């Protein structure tokens, strides 16, 4: 079988790549145990009115991928949300809870948070590079972590 030209890790369980489009909606549930959810290359996604739960894995956005979360609930335990390269990620009316992991937004990422909340417990939130728009939203870091805005963000 053909492999994606992007670097794939052994723990990447659900991968959207190439020029694929995925829409997950209407009170759906996406549950991943001990693995990663990854959007790579030019993949796009619309996740609305959906619950995403990842335990022991990460949520990564690489390449030129673009993902929108609308009215969603995202929970990560012992995992990191990592947006890098030239990705675009937006959260609208969405709640994101990261416990025991980090939120990392770097490189040329476009990050939009509108009417949403992000909570990081026992980890850090870091925004470096790219464009970050936070509108009528809340970003909270609890425990021993930190909230960092580095460079021109």
């Amino acid at each position: 079988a053909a492999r994606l030209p992007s670097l794939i890790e052994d723990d990447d369980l659900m991968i959207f790549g190439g020029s694929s489009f995925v829409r997950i909606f209407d009170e759906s549930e996406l549950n991943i145990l001990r693995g990663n959810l990854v959007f790579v290359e030019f993949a796009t996604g619309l996740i609305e009115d959906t619950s995403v739960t990842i335990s022991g894995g990460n949520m990564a956005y690489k390449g030129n991928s673009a993902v929108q979360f609308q009215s969603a609930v995202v929970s990560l335990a012992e995992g990191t949300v990592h947006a890098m390269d030239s990705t675009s990620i937006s959260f609208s009316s969405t709640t994101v809870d990261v416990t025991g992991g980090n939120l990392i937004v770097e490189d040329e990422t476009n990050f939009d948070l509108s009417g949403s909340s992000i909570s990081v417990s026992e980890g850090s939130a870091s925004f470096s590079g790219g464009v970050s728009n936070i509108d009528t939203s809340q970003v909270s870091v609890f425990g021993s972590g930190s909230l960092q805005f580095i460079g021109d963000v």
Side-chain angles (χ1 to χ4, degrees):
R3 290 189 48 92
L4 294 170
S6 296
L7 180 62
I8 303 299
E9 300 174 11
D10 289 340
D11 292 334
D12 294 345
L13 291 183
M14 184 172 285
I15 304 165
F16 297 97
S19 296
S20 64
F21 171 75
V22 62
R23 180 178 181 215
I24 304 170
F25 64 104
D26 201 17
E27 297 182 16
S28 297
E29 290 185 15
L30 181 59
N31 298 301
I32 298 175
L33 179 61
R34 291 190 299 273
N36 304 326
L37 170 61
V38 182
F39 287 84
V40 296
E41 298 166 340
F42 294 92
T44 57
L46 175 58
I47 301 172
E48 54 186 335
D49 194 25
T50 292
S51 172
V52 178
T53 303
I54 301 174
S55 298
N58 303 310
M59 195 161 62
Y61 306 91
K62 305 175 184 179
N64 293 289
S65 60
V67 182
Q68 297 177 9
F69 290 85
Q70 297 177 356
S71 301
V73 175
V74 179
S75 300
L76 271 83
E78 304 302 321
T80 292
V81 177
H82 193 179
M84 65 191 88
D85 300 328
S86 296
T87 58
S88 176
I89 181 169
S90 67
F91 298 95
S92 176
S93 301
T94 293
T95 301
V96 180
D97 289 311
V98 180
T99 303
N102 302 304
L103 168 67
I104 302 169
V105 178
E106 62 184 352
D107 300 329
E108 299 300 318
T109 297
N110 287 321
F111 180 86
D112 291 304
L113 192 65
S114 177
S116 299
S117 66
I118 294 180
S119 173
V120 180
S121 300
E122 301 303 324
S124 296
S126 173
F127 299 84
S128 60
V131 176
S132 296
N133 296 305
I134 300 173
D135 177 36
T136 320
S137 297
Q138 181 176 0
V139 177
S140 304
V141 177
F142 302 98
S144 60
S146 64
L147 174 61
Q148 300 176 339
F149 292 92
I150 304 166
D152 298 327
V153 290

